[in-house]
Amino acid sequence: MLIGELAERAGTSTRALRYYEEHGLVRAQRSANGYRIYDDAELRVVREIRALLDVGFGLDDVRPFVACLRAGNASGDVCPDSVLVLRRKLVEVDAVIDRLGAVRQQLHTQLSHAIAHREETCPKRRPVR
C-alpha cells in the first residue's frame, strides 16, 4: 500500500509515517518511481506506535514493542524488553499520581482554611443596585 493509504488506515498522517520511518520504527520499500510501499505488517506496527504514543510513551520507549511485533509476536508487549518499559512507565505514572495527590491535598487544605477565615476578614458585600 502507498503511504496515503497506510496513513488513512492507521488513523495518522503521512508526515507522522515519514517521521517514524526516519527513526527506524517503520519500514518502507521503494518502488521504481521512488514511492514508499508498505506491506500489511506495517499497519500493525503503526497502530502499536500510535497506541503507545497516545498514552504517553516516547519514541525510544516504543522500540521494544516494534521489535517484538517484528519478531512475529501477536502483540508488542509480550517480550521481556517491552515488559521492562511497561514496568518503568508504571512507576513513572504512579509517581505522577502521588504528586497530584499531594497537590490535591494542599489545595483542599488551603481551600478549607480560606473558607473558614473568609467571613472574619472579608467585608460583607452590599447588593448591587
Side-chain angles (χ1 to χ4, degrees):
M1 76 187 90
L2 296 175
I3 193 169
E5 182 183 356
L6 177 60
E8 184 177 328
R9 290 177 64 189
T12 192
S13 67
T14 57
R15 183 176 180 185
L17 293 176
R18 287 189 292 272
Y19 183 75
Y20 303 154
E21 186 179 342
E22 287 174 20
H23 286 85
L25 297 171
V26 174
R27 297 177 183 163
Q29 303 294 321
R30 292 292 183 149
S31 66
N33 60 3
Y35 289 169
R36 289 174 170 89
I37 306 292
Y38 300 92
D39 62 29
D40 288 336
E42 294 308 298
L43 179 58
R44 284 184 51 223
V45 168
V46 173
R47 285 181 175 158
E48 183 87 4
I49 293 168
R50 294 298 315 147
L52 292 166
L53 292 176
D54 286 348
V55 296
F57 286 85
L59 282 183
D60 286 336
D61 295 330
V62 169
R63 292 183 192 290
F65 296 86
V66 171
C68 192
L69 284 175
R70 292 203 190 285
N73 294 291
S75 175
D77 59 4
V78 297
C79 296
D81 289 344
S82 301
V83 171
L84 287 174
V85 172
L86 289 169
R87 285 186 175 148
R88 182 183 48 76
K89 193 62 164 178
L90 186 58
V91 168
E92 289 175 14
V93 168
D94 285 342
V96 169
I97 290 170
D98 290 345
R99 282 194 307 271
L100 287 174
V103 168
R104 185 185 188 287
Q105 183 58 47
Q106 175 61 35
L107 290 171
H108 180 69
T109 300
Q110 190 172 354
L111 178 60
S112 296
H113 179 73
I115 290 170
H117 293 93
R118 76 177 171 196
E119 292 179 3
E120 298 170 9
T121 59
C122 294
K124 301 241 186 231
R125 292 187 179 181
R126 295 182 187 187
V128 178
R129 295 182 194 181

